[in-house]
Amino acid sequence: MRVLDFECRLKKYRLLKDLTQEQLAAKVGVRRETIMRLEKAQYNPSLKLAIDISRVVEAPIEEIFVFK
Amino acid sequence: MKKRTKLTICLGMICALLVAISSWYTIAYNNSRFIAPMDLSEYVFRVQDLPMIISGVFLALYVVYLVVLLLRYIMTNRHRKLTLQFTRTINPKLGFLGLLGFAGFLGFWTYSVDKTIFPFVFFLFFGFFGFFYEGKMSNTFIDERYKENKMKAQSVANKTSLSIIFLAILILGQGKLMDSLEYTLIALVIVVALSLALEIFLSEYLLYHYDNDEQFDESEE
């Protein structure tokens, strides 16, 4: 189910860092399926996960996760 | 087999043997004292009672030993659960244990024979069908999405089960099912057992459903 008014640009930043979903998942301590659902804006991450992801892909949280 | 398991089984066998020998002795040579009902308030010690007393003490100590083992296991397991990273691995075929729930129908037979209603509780075993879905989620990494889905699934399952029990108590609490209090009690036992089984099953089923059901291509992009 898509989270309303939520856009996730994680895929773009992940590819910029040349990471696979599996590698990113391992770095932030979640399953690959969780990253997949995040990229499709079907999962609303916790603040901790959002921060961890932003640190790994080296991009600001508000650039990766956009709440309209 | 672990050393402690072997020791526990050996001690259990020794206790069972002691009880069997002392029971045989008391039946054969001591007028079945301690086996036949007796008034302990007027008890007077006899040397012939010693075998039964000794085996009884050993049995009691063994039970205490088992309780200590159980408590230690619970404590260790609690610590392990706190540091758990993957779900437990079980075979989905264990879901077939849910068929044991049909044993609940024995209650209709035992009730007609000697008014025993306990077998209706076996309807609880229908909950074991949940092992099928738990098995499918075996060895899954427990991340925040898994925890969130688990909480959601348990919450919905509990709510459903409690609502059914609530309605059943509201309706059956009148005690007028077919104008018989006994039938009301039976209906209540059945409904509560089935609701609890539903709760056990539903929490596993919904967790699997929430975790896997979104329809999209799961291949790497």
Side-chain angles (χ1 to χ4, degrees):
Chain A
M1 189 191 294
R2 187 170 287 274
V3 180
L4 286 174
D5 301 326
F6 170 56
E7 188 191 334
C8 186
R9 298 173 185 155
L10 176 59
K11 189 176 173 186
K12 174 182 142 192
Y13 289 102
R14 175 175 62 81
L15 293 175
L16 277 174
K17 293 295 289 180
D18 205 18
L19 287 169
T20 63
Q21 288 178 339
E22 192 82 56
Q23 287 166 333
L24 178 60
K27 279 176 189 279
V28 295
V30 294
R31 289 175 287 165
R32 185 178 72 87
E33 291 84 353
T34 303
I35 298 296
M36 217 161 51
R37 279 168 171 74
L38 263 174
E39 289 185 354
K40 292 183 185 281
Q42 290 177 334
Y43 176 61
N44 194 353
S46 68
L47 182 59
K48 184 186 178 303
L49 179 58
I51 290 172
D52 287 346
I53 287 172
S54 97
R55 280 178 185 159
V56 170
V57 298
E58 292 174 352
I61 290 181
E62 61 270 24
E63 285 289 318
I64 307 169
F65 307 105
V66 182
F67 287 90
K68 292 168 190 166
Chain B
M1 205 185 289
K2 275 185 185 172
K3 211 174 176 181
R4 185 181 289 165
T5 316
K6 273 184 186 172
L7 178 72
T8 311
I9 292 171
C10 278
L11 286 174
M13 284 166 73
I14 291 168
C15 282
L17 198 67
L18 280 176
V19 170
I21 293 170
S22 58
S23 301
W24 165 78
Y25 174 81
T26 196
I27 289 168
Y29 304 108
N30 198 21
N31 300 327
S32 299
R33 276 162 66 90
F34 287 103
I35 288 184
M38 58 187 280
D39 186 4
L40 286 173
S41 61
E42 293 169 13
Y43 174 72
V44 180
F45 176 73
R46 281 197 222 163
V47 182
Q48 292 97 313
D49 290 344
L50 267 178
M52 276 305 276
I53 292 172
I54 291 170
S55 66
V57 168
F58 272 105
L59 191 65
L61 287 175
Y62 182 66
V63 170
V64 171
Y65 171 70
L66 286 182
V67 171
V68 170
L69 276 188
L70 184 71
L71 288 176
R72 280 177 62 176
Y73 173 77
I74 290 169
M75 298 299 279
T76 324
N77 214 26
R78 190 177 293 170
H79 174 71
R80 199 180 299 153
K81 261 187 181 173
L82 287 175
T83 53
L84 199 67
Q85 288 213 311
F86 290 88
T87 57
R88 63 178 175 173
T89 307
I90 62 164
N91 191 332
K93 283 179 185 162
L94 280 177
F96 283 117
L97 286 175
L99 293 172
L100 289 173
F102 286 105
F105 288 105
L106 280 174
F108 293 106
W109 175 67
T110 55
Y111 178 70
S112 63
V113 171
D114 62 358
K115 302 260 176 193
T116 305
I117 63 165
F118 177 73
F120 288 120
V121 175
F122 294 146
F123 280 125
L124 258 176
F125 292 141
F126 278 130
F128 288 165
F129 281 123
F131 281 139
F132 176 68
Y133 291 99
E134 193 182 345
K136 283 182 154 201
M137 297 285 290
S138 278
N139 209 28
T140 302
F141 180 65
I142 300 175
D143 63 357
E144 64 167 52
R145 192 168 64 88
Y146 177 90
K147 286 180 193 163
E148 199 176 288
N149 286 337
K150 192 172 175 79
M151 279 197 336
K152 199 164 118 190
Q154 279 181 339
S155 155
V156 172
N158 289 344
K159 215 168 160 182
T160 310
S161 170
L162 280 176
S163 304
I164 294 171
I165 292 174
F166 175 75
L167 279 176
I169 286 180
L170 214 64
I171 296 165
L172 297 171
Q174 317 284 328
K176 286 177 182 169
L177 186 72
M178 293 165 139
D179 273 334
S180 163
L181 211 54
E182 268 186 20
Y183 287 155
T184 311
L185 173 67
I186 290 170
L188 200 61
V189 170
I190 293 173
V191 170
V192 170
L194 286 174
S195 305
L196 292 176
L198 181 71
E199 197 268 334
I200 296 167
F201 168 77
L202 215 54
S203 57
E204 294 303 334
Y205 167 75
L206 288 175
L207 172 60
Y208 178 77
H209 171 78
Y210 292 149
D211 218 66
N212 294 283
D213 251 19
E214 274 95 3
Q215 297 295 314
F216 60 83
D217 180 18
E218 294 209 343
S219 56
E220 176 85 40
E221 288 178 31

